[in-house]
Amino acid sequence: MRPGGFLSERDPHAVEEMDRPDCDPVRLDRTYAQFGLVNAVVSGWRRTYASLLRPAFSRDRTNTLLDIGAGGGDLPRALARWARRDGFRLEVTAIDPDERAHAFATSRPALPGLSFRRALSSELVAEGAEFDAVVSNHVLHHLDPGAFDGLLDDSERLARTVAVHSDIARHPLGYALFSVGTLPLPGSYIRQDGLTSIRRSWTPDELRAATHGRAPWTVRTAVPFINLLVLDRSAAPGARDA
């Protein structure tokens, strides 16, 4: 269903406060600290891990995963913990070019198998790096068309088995629920920037159009109001969008 009203069109020019170089550092750190709670509720990564990432891992060797645009680091920490609990050896590399995000992520307690690095995905491509899995969370809506295509190009080179880019699906009901649900989280940019993110985000059909029908990528819908842009090299040839 196509959203109506003021969300009928994507607003790619809206600016999130935490992306401004002069934003309040205290509110920014509080935002990073709250991401773990918000993502646990709205992003559905536990299910995505179980359905798309875990099947790509082997118990006979050390597996590798790259998180692009890791922000404060809550997702790579969660993925490292889930894999360890499931009996997998997993090395997670989490990259983000923003020095503020990197500083926050590396200030948290160390976790075995998890490393953070200030870098772009293109730098890892230039180094010849490869990973069993590549992921990102809420990165796609930040990208202009050139950067969007660049991320897909890099992911195809970096991912041996699977790449999953998860993002918000723009919808009026999701906007309303997020607006109300984040009221108890004052003193950060979570609510303000989350609503801006929804305005910047795609509907599933728009995201399909943005990929230009580019194989082997498919667009899937996950928990309510989540788009998954997926490259799955283990999928059967000819698999279609869900």
Side-chain angles (χ1 to χ4, degrees):
M1 179 187 301
R2 188 173 182 84
F6 78 103
L7 290 176
S8 61
E9 300 293 334
R10 181 172 180 252
D11 185 0
H13 304 297
V15 178
E16 297 178 27
E17 292 301 314
M18 65 183 297
D19 290 337
R20 299 184 188 275
D22 60 347
C23 72
D24 182 345
V26 174
R27 293 189 71 185
L28 180 62
D29 277 0
R30 191 169 293 133
T31 303
Y32 287 137
Q34 292 174 356
F35 271 148
L37 172 61
V38 173
N39 282 327
V41 174
V42 306
S43 294
W45 268 104
R46 189 67 178 87
R47 182 181 299 177
T48 300
Y49 159 79
S51 62
L52 292 172
L53 300 179
R54 187 169 60 192
F57 298 153
S58 169
R59 298 187 186 279
D60 300 327
R61 58 178 173 81
T62 297
N63 304 276
T64 56
L65 179 144
L66 172 67
D67 181 13
I68 299 174
D74 60 285
L75 175 60
R77 289 178 180 278
L79 294 173
R81 289 194 300 268
W82 295 336
R84 186 170 64 248
R85 290 171 187 168
D86 287 342
F88 294 103
R89 298 191 302 276
L90 178 65
E91 291 183 357
V92 179
T93 301
I95 62 172
D96 198 298
D98 191 321
E99 63 181 350
R100 303 167 303 174
H102 181 74
F104 181 89
T106 54
S107 72
R108 305 294 94 182
L111 196 64
L114 172 61
S115 61
F116 292 93
R117 178 178 170 186
R118 278 192 68 193
L120 296 166
S121 57
S122 57
E123 296 176 58
L124 276 67
V125 170
E127 295 168 4
E130 287 187 338
F131 302 84
D132 294 302
V134 172
V135 303
S136 75
N137 185 55
H138 297 177
V139 169
L140 295 180
H141 68 267
H142 288 273
L143 306 178
D144 62 33
F148 182 93
D149 288 340
L151 177 63
L152 300 195
D153 289 340
D154 291 348
S155 299
E156 290 174 17
R157 291 168 171 79
L158 292 166
R160 295 189 191 96
T161 305
V162 64
V164 181
H165 298 299
S166 177
D167 204 2
I168 305 159
R170 193 178 78 255
H171 195 284
L173 180 57
Y175 189 96
L177 291 173
F178 189 87
S179 179
V180 172
T182 52
L183 284 172
L185 299 174
S188 75
Y189 294 118
I190 286 285
R191 184 172 184 270
Q192 179 179 359
D193 280 1
L195 296 175
T196 300
S197 293
I198 295 172
R199 289 164 48 206
R200 289 181 59 98
S201 297
W202 285 274
T203 65
D205 286 344
E206 289 171 345
L207 186 56
R208 289 186 180 95
T211 64
H212 316 294
R214 167 177 178 161
W217 295 93
T218 61
V219 175
R220 311 181 189 185
T221 55
V223 295
F225 319 121
I226 294 295
N227 289 323
L228 299 177
L229 183 55
V230 179
L231 179 158
D232 186 353
R233 301 190 194 280
S234 68
R240 301 180 63 85
D241 290 1

